Amino acid sequence: MAGNRKTRDEAARAAGASAQAIRDSAQRIWLAGLGAFEHARTEGPRVFNALVAQGRTLGARAAGAADEALRSLLELNENLREMAERGKKRGAATRGRKARPAAKKRKAGAARKAGTRGAVKKRKARA
């Protein structure tokens, strides 16, 4: 039984040391919290003012970027509006005509030119 008693004493000592380590750790955490509170109290206004200054700088940059994006969108919108107006005018000019495919248009143009040349040659030959 004496050997058994020794093991119990060692276990009690180890548990006591572990409990003491936990108490020490909790005490250090508490002290760190108090130190953080005091640091925030004394340095807080200075840090806050520095953050406000940084926020102003970033806010000005963001506003500038937003203004530039808005200008670009308005310019794009105006360009699209002008293109639409030009398209409407072109459509109004061609409404009465029957649309022909591009190949037929080319052939008709070539025939017209050839016919004109032929007529000129015939006139010269007659004269």
Side-chain angles (χ1 to χ4, degrees):
M1 284 264 185
N4 201 8
R5 183 168 177 85
K6 220 178 194 182
T7 308
R8 280 190 211 154
D9 289 342
E10 288 173 0
R13 269 190 239 121
S18 181
Q20 184 60 39
I22 291 172
R23 278 192 296 274
D24 290 344
S25 179
Q27 181 67 25
R28 290 176 53 114
I29 291 169
W30 169 255
L31 293 173
L34 287 176
F37 175 75
E38 179 61 19
H39 183 71
R41 190 180 66 77
T42 58
E43 296 294 318
R46 185 184 60 78
V47 171
F48 180 78
N49 291 333
L51 292 172
V52 168
Q54 285 179 335
R56 278 192 188 119
T57 302
L58 290 174
R61 274 194 229 153
D67 287 344
E68 181 62 32
L70 180 61
R71 267 188 247 115
S72 295
L73 284 174
L74 291 174
E75 185 178 321
L76 178 62
N77 187 33
E78 184 61 31
N79 290 342
L80 290 174
R81 193 173 288 155
E82 288 172 6
M83 288 173 61
E85 285 298 319
R86 276 187 257 141
K88 284 179 186 177
K89 288 177 185 175
R90 283 189 191 138
T94 60
R95 274 199 188 109
R97 295 188 227 154
K98 187 175 181 181
R100 290 190 286 174
K104 285 186 178 180
K105 286 180 184 177
R106 272 188 250 118
K107 286 181 185 176
R112 244 185 266 124
K113 286 180 185 175
T116 306
R117 279 192 218 120
V120 171
K121 285 182 184 177
K122 285 180 187 176
R123 279 192 218 131
K124 284 184 181 179
R126 286 186 208 159

